[in-house]
Amino acid sequence: MTVTSKDAQTEGTVNPREMALQQLAESAERIGLSEAIHKKLAKPKRIVIVYIPTLMDDGGFEVFTGYRVQHSMERGPCKGGIRYHPDVTLDEVIALAMWMTWKCAVVNIPYGGAKGGVTCDPQSMSQGELERMTRRFTSELVEVIGPEKDIPAPDMGTNEQVMAWMMDTYSMNKGYVVPGVVTGKPLSLGGSRGRSEATGRGCIFVIEKVLRAKGMSPEGATMAVQGFGKVGSVTVRLASEIGFDVIAVSDIWGAVYNRRGLDVDALLKHARETGSVKGFPEAEDIARDDVLTIKCDVLVPAALEGTITKHNAEQVQARIIAEAANGPTTPDAQQILDDKGVFVIPDILTNAGGATVSYFEWVQSIQAYFWSEEEVNSNLRKVMIQAFHDVYAMSEANGLNMRDAAMDLAVSRVAEAQRLRGIYP
Ligand code: NAD
C-alpha cells in the first residue's frame, strides 16, 4: 500500500532516506546548524536488524526480516511505530525514524524518534502466525526497547492486538508487568482514552486554526479527503461536526462526491457495511484520484506517501492541504504548490496528534493513573494549538512555507538539546 523507494524512483525522485537527509541538509543551511550536530543528526543512533524465524500454520518456517531504528534520544526516549508491510525497507525505516524525531520536537513532547518494521504481508497471515512473529520480534528487541529507552506504537499493518502481544512478551521477559513499553494498547491493558481518534482530532484542531488565521470559518467550508481508514474517517466525522461540507472521500476501492456535502453518518455506516465508500447511494461515484484535484477549501490526504506529485500538483484546486498521511507530497509537488499559493500544513505538524496522545498514554502507564477522555482531548488541543502557533510564527518571521518552518523549529529544538548535553564523551 505504501509508496516507498520503488515508487519514488519511478517518480524520478530520491528514496525516503535520501529525501529525509536532503530536508535536514536544507534546514541545517537555513538555521546555521553546526557541522558536528548536522553530521550526528544525519545518522541514526542505532540500527537493529533481526531475523525472525516463525512457525507458519502449514508446519513450515518463514524467516522474516525486522528492523528497529533509533534516530535520536537527545530530548528523551525514542518513540515510533512498528510497520508490518511487504515494502518495508531499512531506508524507509531510517527515514520514518528521523521524521519521528522532528514530529516529537514540533509538538514539543519529550521524546526522540524511532521506527520499526517487519517485511511481511500481514493480510495474508493468520492471527497465530502474526502472534508468533510479533512475540519473537519483541524478544529480539528486549534489550533495546523499554519505557525509559524506546517505546513502540502501532503503524501501518499493526494494531492494538499487536501492541498487547508486544507488551506481554516484554513483560514476560522482564518478569513483571511493564505497560509503559508500548503505546496504542487496548484500554483494558492501560491504553489511553482518546488514542484511537487522536490523529484525526489533532488534524482538525490544526485545520481550524489555519482557517481562522486566514479569516475563514469551517462553517460551510468544503473538504475532500483521500483515505477513509483510522485517520481519514475520524477527520471526516469531526470536520462535519464543526460545520465543514465534506464533498468528496476516497478509499483504495474508489471515491464518492456530492457537491452539497456528503451525509457523513450515512457514509460511515455504508463503509462499515460494505467495506468501502464506493457505491454510496447519496453521492456520485468518481474516479478515485479525482479527490485530489477537486475544487475545495481543504484537501486532506490521509492514505499514503507520495500521492501529490509533480504529475498532479498543478491540477490541485484546494486552497489548503492538511497532510494527515506521512509524506503525501513529494518535494517537486511542494514547489508547484508553493508557486500556486496553496497553503500546505506539513505532516509533522498535522498528524502529530497520534504521537501526542501516545505520550499521554505513556505518562498514564508510568503513573498508573488514568485520565478522562475530556482531559486527554483538552490537553491534545493545547499541544496542537501551541505547535501550530510556534510553526506559524516561524513561517511568518522567516518568510518560509509551513513545512520548512516546521523542520527548522524541530531541528533547532533537537540541536539545542544536543548542544546543552554535548556529544559524549
Ligand atoms: P489505515 O490503513 O487505517 O487507512 C488507510 C486508508 O487509505 C484506507 O481507507 C485505504 O482504503 C485508503 N487507501 C489506500 N490506498 C489508497 C489510494 N490509493 N487512494 C485512496 N485511498 C487509499 O491507515 P491510517 O492509520 O488511517 O493511516 C493513514 C496515513 O496516516 C498513513 O500515511 C499513516 O502513516 C498516517 N498516520 C497515521 C497515524 C495513526 O494514528 N493511525 C498517525 C500519524 C500518521
Side-chain angles (χ1 to χ4, degrees):
M1 187 169 84
T2 170
V3 175
T4 56
S5 31
K6 251 189 284 133
D7 307 83
Q9 280 156 14
T10 60
E11 267 295 298
T13 55
V14 288
N15 84 15
R17 185 177 62 84
E18 284 163 14
M19 186 170 139
L21 286 175
Q22 186 189 334
Q23 290 167 343
L24 172 62
E26 288 170 5
S27 178
E29 172 93 33
R30 283 192 299 271
I31 64 174
L33 188 66
S34 84
E35 197 192 339
I37 295 182
H38 182 186
K39 271 189 182 164
K40 179 160 184 296
L41 291 177
K43 301 273 189 231
K45 173 181 171 62
R46 181 182 286 142
I47 294 176
V48 181
I49 303 180
V50 297
Y51 295 97
I52 312 162
T54 303
L55 176 65
M56 305 304 277
D57 291 347
D58 65 5
F61 272 89
E62 272 302 329
V63 182
F64 296 99
T65 307
Y67 307 96
R68 185 71 185 169
V69 174
Q70 297 172 340
H71 172 249
S72 151
M73 287 192 186
E74 269 59 61
R75 292 167 39 88
C78 291
K79 184 87 192 88
I82 301 270
R83 183 172 284 196
Y84 287 175
H85 193 279
D87 289 345
V88 165
T89 63
L90 180 57
D91 274 1
E92 180 190 46
V93 181
I94 292 173
L96 289 163
M98 211 182 265
W99 289 328
M100 275 306 293
T101 300
W102 313 141
K103 189 180 297 185
C104 293
V106 163
V107 283
N108 218 357
I109 54 178
Y111 282 142
K115 203 81 179 187
V118 178
T119 315
C120 66
D121 180 6
Q123 293 190 336
S124 70
M125 293 169 72
S126 70
Q127 284 294 99
E129 290 167 344
L130 279 173
E131 177 173 355
R132 291 189 289 275
M133 185 186 79
T134 299
R135 287 187 180 280
R136 180 63 186 249
F137 181 43
T138 310
S139 296
E140 298 291 349
L141 296 181
V142 158
E143 294 311 320
V144 294
I145 61 173
E148 305 86 10
K149 292 182 191 170
D150 179 5
I151 306 117
D155 190 72
M156 264 188 241
T158 56
N159 55 23
E160 288 191 344
Q161 178 60 72
V162 173
M163 292 306 111
W165 291 326
M166 289 194 84
M167 183 272 221
D168 182 70
T169 306
Y170 185 86
S171 299
M172 287 295 131
N173 274 267
K174 289 289 171 186
Y176 48 89
V177 186
V178 191
V181 64
V182 291
T183 60
K185 300 179 288 293
L187 260 187
S188 51
L189 293 179
S192 177
R193 290 192 168 75
R195 170 65 185 86
S196 59
E197 295 202 336
T199 307
R201 193 175 292 280
C203 284
I204 291 294
F205 289 148
V206 173
I207 290 169
E208 219 182 333
K209 285 309 284 184
V210 169
L211 285 186
R212 305 272 179 220
K214 294 189 152 299
M216 297 162 67
S217 145
E219 200 60 49
T222 53
M223 179 183 278
V225 181
Q226 181 198 37
F228 203 56
K230 295 186 282 290
V231 179
S233 64
V234 173
T235 306
V236 164
R237 184 170 58 72
L238 297 177
S240 113
E241 278 176 23
I242 60 168
F244 269 100
D245 287 334
V246 181
I247 56 169
V249 173
S250 67
D251 63 21
I252 195 162
W253 313 109
V256 288
Y257 170 68
N258 183 333
R259 83 186 154 75
R260 289 186 307 280
L262 297 156
D263 176 342
V264 165
D265 289 337
L267 180 65
L268 283 161
K269 184 163 176 280
H270 173 82
R272 246 191 332 268
E273 285 169 3
T274 66
S276 171
V277 297
K278 212 176 155 192
F280 179 53
E282 294 158 47
E284 168 191 341
D285 275 326
I286 55 169
R288 188 183 70 185
D289 293 343
D290 285 358
V291 160
L292 298 169
T293 51
I294 225 146
K295 188 167 168 44
C296 60
D297 294 309
V298 182
L299 169 66
V300 183
L304 2 133
E305 293 146 60
T307 54
I308 303 172
T309 68
K310 64 179 177 192
H311 301 299
N312 59 7
E314 201 58 68
Q315 284 79 52
V316 166
Q317 297 186 70
R319 298 167 72 179
I320 296 164
I321 296 180
E323 293 186 334
N326 283 313
T329 310
T330 63
D332 313 355
Q334 174 75 52
Q335 187 57 56
I336 297 168
L337 296 169
D338 284 344
D339 293 345
K340 280 165 60 87
V342 181
F343 189 91
V344 182
I345 324 171
D347 46 6
I348 57 173
L349 171 63
T350 315
N351 72 29
T356 303
V357 176
S358 274
Y359 162 58
F360 298 160
E361 179 177 332
W362 176 73
V363 169
Q364 294 170 77
S365 289
I366 289 172
Q367 296 185 337
Y369 180 74
F370 295 92
W371 308 354
S372 68
E373 188 162 350
E374 293 69 41
E375 201 171 352
V376 170
N377 291 345
S378 112
N379 283 318
L380 172 62
R381 185 166 213 284
K382 280 186 211 145
V383 168
M384 295 304 294
I385 287 176
Q386 184 62 51
F388 163 76
H389 282 302
D390 292 348
V391 174
Y392 193 63
M394 181 152 255
S395 119
E396 293 278 291
N398 299 339
L400 297 170
N401 66 26
M402 290 287 278
R403 188 186 310 285
D404 290 348
M407 266 305 282
D408 289 3
L409 177 70
V411 176
S412 308
R413 284 179 173 163
V414 178
E416 171 69 355
Q418 182 71 73
R419 191 185 61 75
L420 289 167
R421 288 177 60 163
I423 295 179
Y424 182 83

